[in-house]
Each structure stands twice: as structure tokens, then as C-alpha cells.
Amino acid sequence: MKTALVAAAVAMALTGSAAAGAKDPDGRVVFARGTSLWLTDGRGKAPEVELATLPGPAADVRMIRTDLAGSTLLVDVAGRWYWAAMPTEGATAALAPLPCAGTTARLSQGGDCVVCASAAGKALLIRLADAKVFTRDLPGATVALTERAGARELVWVADGAIHAAPITDRTKARVVAPEAPVRGVVISPDGRRGVGVYTAPPTGQPKATEPRDQLFGFALDGGTARRRLIRDGVVLDWSWDAGWLLVQDGGKACVIRAVGGEYKCWKGYTAVSLSADGAWALVLGPRDGAASADAASPAQVEEGGGDDDGAVDDSVVPLPTGPLSLYRARLPGTYVERPVVIERVVDGAAAWLPPLPPAPTTAPAR
């Protein structure tokens, strides 16, 4: 029964046309407040339901991730990673700690395992069903787990290039990008594309002549072709359909098409999550949009570039400070459309989940 429900949820999550054209979404939202994680709907109209008690204050929740079906939660609390299965109705989940170090950890598409870095910097694969940990002699800071047509691969950066190999056979490793980005590498869920920061000559900036760090997208096909994206953007995540990027560009939250250049940004907000089809984003901003002295300020992202700049950490965008509200931003529609408040009082990060699949119906007995 659980397998059937997950399969139905996956199918709904990948059907993006209905969500993209809807004025009000059907998704679910998990957010941090007080000392707990809470669940509401994508409209912000359903009563909040407590999902789990946090090991620290909600203000320490820096990131919440889910799998494609929204059946598993992955939570960063003050730099420590935890996970939980979504509880059944009326129950609360127990967050279990993971042996992950560093700022990056990701769930598999089906939510059955986590890939992250060990304290020693090696790649860890953690099977959640039995907490079995598999260590791989790969750089954990850049490793990604991808899946396409049921085949899983590990993708990582080493020796100045990006490599990929089947998860069970590293002897079949191949170079998928001969020149790796200098930092900020994020791989799409299907392993077809990547994004990252390269040093390149500027374009459209007559006052700047020296090469500088810029964000590019590229195919993982062994070639060297690249396309510029938002110059100083920090990529936070891909949509599960691999078509859209969630990006923080200084004080603007943005959703950008991975290929084609379409994008939409909301000034004064900090991006935290993206729907499976890229149609909806969750952003944090000042409480009810208030512009007061103690209102939340958007996260500021340090720009890469000149020789005098220090190292830039592209793996974390700090959350804004001050009284926060959670907003829903819509990719389709007019460019000037403002985000809509979902939850007036939040303290930390949030995540977008697909709607629950419809309950199975039983044919009436004859």
C-alpha cells in the first residue's frame, strides 16, 4: 500500500501543468516555528499540524529538504543533520541524527537514502531503512546522487573535472565535464546538467574588463559548452523535474529555468524551497511585509569576483533576521506579482511538498 501511495505522489509531483496554471496550489508546506516543525497546505489556509519536535529552537533550522513524494524530511538544525519519515495523520515524527558533517546533504528521489560528507570529508551513503552507512573514497563536499530511468549514479568533482559512475561500480567512472567550476557546484537530480561558478570575461559590462567569477549552467555530456546565468546568484536547489533552479541573488529570491534563460525574482525575500515542477517557491520575508526598523532583512550573499575577495561559501545562504513570515511566490503570471503570505509567524526554514495522492477507493460490494 505504501509503495502505491508513493508512486501516485510521484506521478502527481511530476505533472507540472496543472500546478503551473493554478492560481492556488495544491501542495503542502512544512515550516519551523517555536520548537517544532509544522505542516499546512500551499494556500496557507489549513490548520497547522505539529509534525516533529526539534532538537533546538526553530531559528536554528537552516534548511528542510524532502524527496520527490514528500515522504521523508531532511533537516539542518544549527549545522547538524536529522531525518524523519512523514508521520501518519495524528502522529508526530521523531527526528533521528545523521553522521553528516558540512553544509550539504541530499535525499534520493525516492527518499530511501541520504548522500552527504563525513567528518573526514569522504562521501557517505546512508540507507535510512536500517541506518546502514556506506563510505566512498570520494570528496563528500561535492558528491551528488542522481537517478534517471531507475539507474543511480554518483557525480563528484576531482582533479579539476566532474566525474560520474554507477553507484555500484566505480570502475565505470567517466568524465562528464572536463573543466569543473571553481566553486558552487550543484548537480541536477537526473544527472544531465550542472551549475557552478567559473572565472570568465564579463559581458555587457563596459566598465569591467578583467575576468570575474560568474554563475554558469552546463550539460554533463563530456563537452565544454556553458551558458551564463545570473552573475552573482547562489544556487540553492533544483526542482525535481530538473527544469528549474532556486537561486538567491543578493537580496532577491529567484526561480530560473535551467535551459532557456527564463527567470523571475522577488526583491527583499530569501529563497528556501521550490516545488517539484518549479511553479511555486517558498520565500522568507518581513512579518506581513512590514517595513519597520526591526523587520526581517533579506539575506545578503557575498559576491564572488575580484582578487581581493575572500573565499565565498556557496553552500549556505543565511536566513534573514528579525520577525519573519513565510510567503508563496508564483512563477507563472505577471512579473510584478508579489509573494503571498502563507504563515504570518515562522522562525526558520520551510519546504514545499507535493499534495497527498487521493485515497484509494473500494468498489461497493455487489
Side-chain angles (χ1 to χ4, degrees):
M1 180 64 70
K2 181 179 179 181
T3 302
L5 289 176
V6 171
V10 169
M12 293 181 70
L14 288 177
T15 306
S17 58
K23 185 70 174 178
D24 291 316
D26 293 327
R28 297 169 291 156
V29 171
V30 174
F31 63 94
R33 183 171 66 199
T35 57
S36 300
L37 295 180
W38 300 82
L39 178 71
T40 186
D41 66 356
R43 298 174 177 87
K45 297 178 180 179
E48 300 96 337
V49 176
E50 187 177 16
L51 290 182
T53 300
L54 293 165
D60 288 341
V61 177
R62 305 191 303 190
M63 185 175 294
I64 305 173
R65 296 187 186 277
T66 71
D67 59 318
L68 176 58
S71 61
T72 307
L73 296 174
L74 184 63
V75 187
D76 176 353
V77 184
R80 290 287 308 277
W81 287 95
Y82 299 81
W83 82 279
M86 283 290 289
T88 57
E89 186 175 354
T92 56
L95 292 174
L98 293 169
C100 298
T103 57
T104 302
R106 292 184 180 274
L107 280 160
S108 62
Q109 177 176 294
D112 61 316
C113 66
V114 170
V115 61
C116 62
S118 69
K122 301 297 183 182
L124 296 181
L125 287 169
I126 306 168
R127 192 167 60 200
L128 297 178
D130 58 4
K132 179 70 173 179
V133 178
F134 303 89
T135 302
R136 297 287 188 269
D137 189 19
L138 300 172
T142 61
V143 73
L145 176 62
T146 67
E147 184 170 345
R148 184 165 69 246
R152 290 182 170 183
E153 289 197 317
L154 292 176
V155 182
W156 68 94
V157 176
D159 302 321
I162 300 179
H163 308 258
I167 192 171
T168 56
D169 189 357
R170 277 186 54 205
T171 65
K172 295 182 179 179
R174 65 195 187 281
V175 173
V176 292
E179 183 182 354
V182 295
R183 54 184 170 81
V185 180
V186 187
I187 305 300
S188 66
D190 61 4
R192 293 181 183 273
R193 298 191 64 81
V195 292
V197 175
Y198 288 89
T199 303
T203 59
Q205 303 174 58
K207 294 182 180 180
T209 58
E210 295 297 319
R212 58 155 296 152
D213 289 354
Q214 302 172 70
L215 182 65
F216 284 81
F218 50 92
L220 296 176
D221 57 3
T224 58
R226 299 193 287 267
R227 181 186 179 90
R228 284 181 177 84
L229 299 172
I230 290 181
R231 189 187 73 182
D232 296 310
V234 175
V235 177
L236 303 175
D237 214 351
W238 289 78
S239 59
W240 275 112
D241 69 0
W244 298 89
L245 298 164
L246 184 67
V247 175
Q248 188 69 29
D249 181 24
K252 296 182 292 184
C254 302
V255 177
I256 304 173
R257 185 182 289 278
V259 179
E262 181 184 352
Y263 72 95
K264 196 171 184 179
C265 295
W266 299 273
K267 187 176 181 180
Y269 298 92
T270 299
V272 292
S273 189
L274 187 64
S275 66
D277 61 358
W280 304 95
L282 292 176
V283 298
L284 292 174
R287 182 87 33 97
D288 286 340
S292 61
D294 60 349
S297 299
Q300 295 300 312
V301 180
E302 182 181 357
E303 297 183 356
D307 295 336
D308 296 332
D309 292 340
V312 178
D313 185 356
D314 281 332
S315 58
V316 172
V317 169
L319 298 186
T321 58
L324 299 174
S325 289
L326 180 64
Y327 297 76
R328 180 189 72 228
R330 190 165 74 110
L331 179 65
T334 63
Y335 197 84
V336 295
E337 186 176 9
R338 294 180 63 83
V340 175
V341 173
I342 292 181
E343 285 293 331
R344 192 181 71 84
V345 179
V346 299
D347 298 314
W352 187 278
L353 282 66
L356 285 171
T361 58
T362 303
R366 294 185 177 181

